[in-house]
Amino acid sequence: MALKVAIVGRPNVGKSTLFNRLVGKRLALVDDRPGVTRDRRYADGNIGDMDLTLIDTAGYEDVTDDSLEARMREQTEAALDDAEVVMFMMDAREGVTSLDRIFAERLRKVHKPIILLANKSESRESGGGVGEAHALGFGEPVAISAEHGEGMADLYQALLAASADIFIEEIDEPDKPIRIAIIGRPNAGKSTLINRMLGEDRLLTGPEAGITRDSISVDWEYEGQAIRFVDTAGMRRKARVQEKLEKLSVADTIRAITFAEVVVLVMDKDDAFDTQDLQLADLVEREGRALVYVASKWDLEEEPQAKMAELKSLAENKLPQLKGSPFVALSSHNGRGIERLMPAIIKAYETWSVKVKTKDLNTWLAMATQRHPPPAVNGKRVKPKYMAQTKARPPTFVLMASRASDMPEHYQRYLVNSLRESFDLPGTPIRLTVKSGAPNPYAEGGAKSGPERYKGTAKTAPRKVLKAEKAAEALSNLPGKALEQKKSGIKPKVKALGGLKASSSKKAGQSIAIQKGARGGARQVSRSGRVRTGQKHAPKK
């Protein structure tokens, strides 16, 4: 088990920056203005070879009334009670302030190891502030720079010394939890719902809108199943989001939806399914996550049955792509209907993770195409061949068909709706991809067809072709005028040598004519037209 460390201090001293550095991710929102962090956030991190469970807290304010700052202080004190080592951070540039002294008095009552951190110590101006930190009474301050990563080696040594007498129990790693993101518009009751599920005031709540800024994850266990709730900031319409901090909060909420497995959309019963709720539900469907609708503040409804029928009708009409998603009406204030939420979430998760056998899919495909055959496009009918599921979460199917690119969208919607009804997949996003069969690689233009080769000299060519090519080759070897006479059809004149009769020249191996070569001089030519190389001159009688 990791060492549990809480990072505390007054506002805007760099607690979230150090938290992000030790975690290795930009989990906590960071801004120049004070008071960005409001809830306490847990995350696993490390420094050197030491595993840590870090707790980021809100800035400490010296107020005890019913204000938001007072509720933030309660969250910080809860983190102090839960931690094993406390890292008290001050700003070395500003030095020790009156609020630092007040908080130091509070920390002296905590009987736990306390490490004093002097942050922003990278400049020369911070030297005096580091010296003033000795007056707080927590020993030698550790000069660090959370922004630039300076002083981490000294912090590691301080943590080793502080945790020397702390027994860290080794426990088995829990099963992978089901990640559940709670989303909705501002002041819809998301944090109150999680607190009611946990049975404690884990998250900061109040009548003010937009209290939650970070996406806070909380681990829980339900009937032996590990659960991880992620509380998100309320999302307003994009046109209304102007401030940089709110843009960061919205981006953090979208990231939480992306990494969630089940998303719970919390809506006010009086104005449910307005434009923003529809856009959030559509975003969940496009991300391929399971969705559960929650109508909050149900204890104020006078006619619950009629209102429930109206809301379900709105969901089916405005979000047909998520038809059949679970709908839970509850009240986070008094807990009415809260027991129906987790069974709906577990059912949506199981449906989202379903796997269908290929045999059952193809049996269904034959019945579906027989009941409603695919339409003909340009006079040719699209023919579905077979179907298979490639993955789950969400269920993804591939349909092999001829002329797949011509299959109309409305027929694909028919197949998806029929899949949803036949295999009991209500509400979960379904992905269907239509593909054609693999093309012939050896066809013309295929991947293995290769360049077209010349077949004139192939051994399998017809005999007439081979004979004509042989004659053309012999013709091309004739020298000088013999070639021209052969082409023109004129027989060459044969001159007898030294009174030799023409008939006597018909004997094999005897030259019949003497012609001049290309370079001059006499060469002997045989009956077949080839030059005799055995003799250079005609024989003398």
Side-chain angles (χ1 to χ4, degrees):
M1 187 176 178
L3 181 67
K4 194 173 291 187
V5 180
I7 306 174
V8 299
R10 60 183 177 84
N12 204 26
V13 294
K15 299 183 295 297
S16 296
T17 305
L18 178 62
F19 177 84
N20 288 340
R21 177 166 293 278
L22 296 180
V23 171
K25 302 177 183 177
R26 294 183 62 87
L27 290 183
L29 297 184
V30 178
D31 196 72
D32 294 336
R33 70 176 70 180
V36 173
T37 304
R38 290 175 174 176
D39 286 287
R40 67 181 191 271
R41 175 195 285 270
Y42 289 73
D44 295 330
N46 60 77
I47 180 169
D49 58 351
M50 183 182 298
D51 294 330
L52 305 174
T53 298
L54 297 161
I55 310 175
D56 187 23
T57 63
Y60 186 85
E61 299 281 358
D62 187 24
V63 287
T64 56
D65 53 7
D66 296 333
S67 63
L68 177 62
E69 289 76 11
R71 298 196 297 273
M72 291 163 58
R73 171 178 171 169
E74 294 176 359
Q75 292 288 321
T76 301
E77 292 180 348
L80 291 175
D81 296 337
D82 195 18
E84 297 171 331
V85 176
V86 178
M87 291 195 295
F88 175 32
M89 182 178 289
M90 50 87 63
D91 191 340
R93 294 179 184 175
E94 298 183 5
V96 178
T97 64
S98 58
L99 191 57
D100 289 329
R101 294 187 178 91
I102 294 174
F103 195 22
E105 291 292 335
R106 169 69 179 84
L107 290 178
R108 290 189 184 96
K109 301 177 183 178
V110 178
H111 301 288
K112 294 179 180 179
I114 297 175
I115 301 174
L116 180 60
L117 303 180
N119 192 26
K120 306 179 184 179
S121 300
E122 67 275 8
S123 61
R124 296 180 179 178
E125 302 174 357
S126 59
V130 175
E132 292 179 10
H134 289 84
L136 294 175
F138 294 110
E140 180 73 22
V142 180
I144 65 169
S145 174
E147 180 69 24
H148 302 285
E150 297 179 5
M152 293 298 109
D154 297 336
L155 178 59
Y156 172 72
Q157 295 297 330
L159 281 171
L160 278 181
S163 61
D165 298 331
I166 299 176
F167 175 71
I168 302 177
E169 182 182 1
E170 296 292 335
I171 61 175
D172 297 333
E173 291 293 330
D175 297 335
K176 186 178 180 180
I178 301 176
R179 297 186 296 273
I180 304 171
I182 313 295
I183 67 171
R185 288 175 291 154
N187 206 22
K190 302 180 291 299
S191 301
T192 307
L193 174 61
I194 296 178
N195 286 342
R196 175 62 63 177
M197 297 289 292
L198 301 177
E200 60 174 324
D201 292 336
R202 169 63 181 82
L203 300 172
L204 191 63
T205 59
E208 301 90 353
I211 291 179
T212 304
R213 288 175 173 170
D214 295 88
S215 294
I216 307 298
S217 60
V218 181
D219 291 334
W220 187 50
E221 185 174 340
Y222 173 75
E223 295 183 356
Q225 174 64 53
I227 303 293
R228 177 168 294 169
F229 287 114
V230 181
D231 185 26
T232 63
M235 295 179 65
R236 298 191 299 169
R237 295 184 183 180
K238 188 175 181 180
R240 297 182 180 179
V241 179
Q242 301 294 336
E243 296 184 0
K244 174 187 173 184
L245 188 57
E246 189 172 359
K247 291 181 180 179
L248 293 175
S249 299
V250 171
D252 204 21
T253 300
I254 295 175
R255 179 179 176 275
I257 295 174
T258 304
F259 287 96
E261 295 170 330
V262 181
V263 178
V264 177
L265 177 58
V266 181
M267 303 172 290
D268 194 326
K269 65 177 182 61
D270 295 327
D271 55 352
F273 294 108
D274 71 341
T275 304
Q276 184 66 6
D277 292 333
L278 296 178
Q279 290 179 351
L280 289 175
D282 184 66
L283 174 62
V284 173
E285 195 277 335
R286 284 187 279 114
E287 291 292 339
R289 303 295 178 254
L291 180 63
V292 177
Y293 300 120
V294 168
S296 63
K297 305 176 184 179
W298 201 250
D299 55 332
L300 304 177
E301 181 59 42
E302 298 178 357
E303 298 179 357
Q305 295 182 355
K307 188 67 175 179
M308 177 61 70
E310 178 186 353
L311 293 178
K312 288 185 177 180
S313 177
L314 282 174
E316 293 182 0
N317 293 335
K318 295 187 176 183
L319 295 167
Q321 69 272 30
L322 292 169
K323 184 179 180 181
S325 295
F327 207 111
V328 180
L330 52 84
S331 173
S332 302
H333 180 68
N334 57 15
R336 177 183 174 184
I338 201 76
E339 70 279 357
R340 295 193 297 267
L341 179 58
M342 282 309 300
I345 291 176
I346 297 298
K347 182 179 179 181
Y349 175 77
E350 293 175 351
T351 304
W352 185 65
S353 307
V354 73
K355 295 181 179 179
V356 184
K357 295 181 180 180
T358 304
K359 179 182 177 181
D360 298 338
L361 276 175
N362 287 281
T363 303
W364 162 84
L365 180 63
M367 296 177 60
T369 54
Q370 184 178 3
R371 183 170 60 248
H372 183 45
V377 181
N378 297 328
K380 296 182 180 180
R381 189 173 296 276
V382 180
K383 298 179 181 179
K385 297 179 180 180
Y386 65 92
M387 194 174 187
Q389 183 178 3
T390 56
K391 72 182 190 73
R393 302 181 178 184
T396 303
F397 303 92
V398 174
L399 173 63
M400 307 302 296
S402 62
R403 306 177 69 243
S405 59
D406 295 332
M407 180 174 286
E409 290 289 337
H410 66 83
Y411 193 76
Q412 296 185 30
R413 288 195 299 268
Y414 158 71
L415 293 177
V416 170
N417 292 332
S418 181
L419 263 174
R420 197 184 300 277
E421 294 175 1
S422 301
F423 294 101
D424 192 21
L425 303 174
T428 187
I430 295 178
R431 303 288 187 258
L432 177 62
T433 305
V434 184
K435 293 183 178 180
S436 298
N440 184 3
Y442 295 98
E444 184 178 357
K448 296 185 179 181
S449 61
E452 184 179 359
R453 64 177 184 175
Y454 177 68
K455 299 181 180 179
T457 57
K459 294 183 179 180
T460 57
R463 188 175 298 175
K464 292 182 179 181
V465 176
L466 293 175
K467 189 175 181 180
E469 291 179 355
K470 190 174 182 180
E473 184 180 359
L475 185 65
S476 63
N477 291 329
L478 292 178
K481 292 183 179 181
L483 179 59
E484 296 178 0
Q485 294 172 356
K486 188 72 174 178
K487 290 182 177 180
S488 60
I490 303 174
K491 295 183 180 180
K493 295 181 180 180
V494 181
K495 186 184 294 184
L497 300 176
L500 183 65
K501 295 181 180 179
S503 59
S504 62
S505 65
K506 294 182 180 179
K507 295 180 180 180
Q510 189 173 3
S511 62
I512 61 174
I514 298 177
Q515 298 178 348
K516 290 185 177 181
R519 298 182 181 179
R523 293 191 296 177
Q524 293 185 357
V525 181
S526 66
R527 294 177 62 88
S528 62
R530 294 186 177 180
V531 178
R532 296 287 298 274
T533 60
Q535 296 177 349
K536 296 184 180 179
H537 303 285
K540 297 181 180 179
K541 292 186 72 178

